[in-house]
Amino acid sequence: RNKKFRTKLGQWSFGQLRSFLEYKGLLMGVPVVVVNPRYTSQICNVCKYIGKRTNKHFKGQNCGSHMDADVNASINIATLGRAINRVGKSNDMCCTIAHVHSGLKPNPSLCVVG
């Protein structure tokens, strides 16, 4: 993409971008799944434990994986989206910190960590 497009995209608020995606998804018949992005860049997509994010770099503290922090977050968001769309139980993604901040109690039968 060119610089003008990137500049315009960078000026959108997160809520405005989300509303555009929902509108276009509805228009094209594509389901849009909304996922809470909280902690997605701090949770390792490999072992599902909290890791260390330093600027654009992520390191999994438990498994030692190294990657770009945004790539790690996008993989986590995609995993959460698949879990939401799945009928029945989800065992793809679970983090106890997400349960604490959401007010929900963790359910071990629905969560597999590591």
Side-chain angles (χ1 to χ4, degrees):
R1 304 287 178 163
N2 62 24
K3 185 177 179 179
K4 184 178 178 182
F5 177 78
R6 288 192 310 268
T7 302
K8 192 173 195 175
L9 183 67
Q11 293 175 347
W12 285 349
S13 69
F14 193 75
Q16 187 179 17
L17 177 62
R18 180 175 154 184
S19 69
F20 286 161
L21 290 172
E22 289 173 349
Y23 160 72
K24 291 293 185 177
L26 186 62
L27 185 68
M28 302 302 286
V30 176
V32 176
V33 177
V34 179
V35 174
N36 186 354
R38 180 181 270 179
Y39 301 109
T40 55
S41 65
Q42 299 171 12
I43 299 170
C44 180
N45 70 47
V46 177
C47 66
K48 309 297 188 265
Y49 283 90
I50 301 289
K52 182 164 178 70
R53 180 184 175 147
T54 308
N55 296 326
K56 296 289 282 175
H57 183 73
F58 176 82
K59 180 181 179 190
Q61 301 287 43
N62 190 46
C63 66
S65 65
H66 296 273
M67 66 186 64
D68 182 88
D70 292 335
V71 170
N72 179 60
S74 64
I75 293 170
N76 284 332
I77 289 171
T79 303
L80 285 167
R82 282 192 305 273
I84 289 170
N85 278 335
R86 182 176 300 147
V87 177
K89 294 182 180 178
S90 167
N91 59 359
D92 281 345
M93 187 83 176
C94 179
C95 177
T96 56
I97 198 164
H99 287 292
V100 169
H101 288 282
S102 69
L104 299 173
K105 294 182 180 177
N107 185 343
S109 65
L110 299 177
C111 300
V112 175
V113 178

